[in-house]
Amino acid sequence: MSTPPPADRRTLIADTAIGLVAAAGLRGLTHRAVDGAAGLPAGSTSYYFRTRTALIAACYQRLAELDLADVDDGGPPGSVPPAAPSALAVTPPDRDAAAAALAGLLYRWLTVGRERQLARFELSLEAARNPELQADFHRAGQGARARAAGIAAALGSDRPEEAAELLVAWTEGLLYDRLAGALARSRPAPDLAELAAVARRMLAAALADPA
């Protein structure tokens, strides 16, 4: 069996760590557990990420990369009903197209990307408790906000950064509510048409002129 090069091994370790957090929470995240789950020799994870803090920081970076990749290229073919999520990458000036793209993205994160989003929520709380992680967590989150601001600007917002804050906060709230909130288990399965209607309403609110 060939050994993956260092860059690929770092990615493998981060992806495996994210999977472990999704499955068992932070209590399941240890260097030894990552080695075992990734099929790597003992000590591999600690070689690349000496501390648990460094390992969690790598998870933040990887989660940000994966989420932005979903925005840019729509993720794996066939993972979402046709909604052209990749339209967000070119910041379309048409709000209906943007709403359909955002709905497709949300659908992916509520279905095939569910475990990753749960891990992201779990890992985000660690940054609130550990000052050593706050800079890494903040840095990882800037890409999404910058992308949202670009979309808002293309859609005609005079205050794209403020609109982006609303869009990101709404997206995070919707995902949390439907994945981990009190009603998460009693909600119907994600519906693309319903998500598109919600996305249209949120875009209209975020892009409206401030009072």
Side-chain angles (χ1 to χ4, degrees):
M1 178 177 176
S2 62
T3 301
D8 291 343
R9 185 168 284 195
R10 286 177 180 274
T11 300
L12 172 62
I13 289 170
D15 286 343
T16 302
I18 291 166
L20 286 171
V21 173
L26 282 167
R27 68 181 180 275
L29 183 62
T30 66
H31 288 73
R32 180 178 294 179
V34 174
D35 287 342
L40 294 172
S44 296
T45 299
S46 60
Y47 175 82
Y48 289 101
F49 304 104
R50 294 289 185 184
T51 65
R52 194 166 187 266
T53 295
L55 181 58
I56 292 174
C59 291
Y60 292 153
Q61 179 181 344
R62 181 61 175 158
L63 285 165
E65 291 172 356
L66 291 169
D67 283 350
L68 286 177
D70 281 348
V71 173
D72 288 344
D73 62 28
S79 61
V80 162
S86 59
L88 290 173
V90 295
T91 56
D94 179 80
R95 292 191 185 187
D96 285 339
L102 182 55
L105 188 63
L106 288 167
Y107 186 94
R108 175 176 294 105
W109 288 344
L110 290 169
T111 55
V112 295
R114 178 180 183 277
E115 298 304 316
R116 191 210 310 167
Q117 297 304 315
L118 287 172
R120 188 169 62 81
F121 287 131
E122 185 100 28
L123 287 160
S124 69
L125 293 174
E126 191 67 10
R129 304 185 185 103
N130 185 347
E132 293 181 43
L133 284 167
Q134 289 171 4
D136 292 299
F137 182 66
H138 175 79
R139 190 179 306 111
Q142 290 313 296
R145 283 159 178 76
R147 194 64 51 84
I151 293 167
L155 292 171
S157 174
D158 292 329
R159 300 184 180 182
E161 287 78 16
E162 292 180 17
E165 287 185 9
L166 287 173
L167 288 170
V168 171
W170 164 72
T171 301
E172 294 279 63
L174 185 146
L175 289 170
Y176 184 87
D177 181 57
R178 300 193 180 201
L179 291 175
L183 301 179
R185 293 193 178 276
S186 60
R187 281 187 173 277
D191 177 79
L192 193 60
E194 184 261 342
L195 289 172
V198 173
R200 282 193 295 272
R201 291 198 297 272
M202 185 56 207
L203 280 172
L207 299 171
D209 292 332

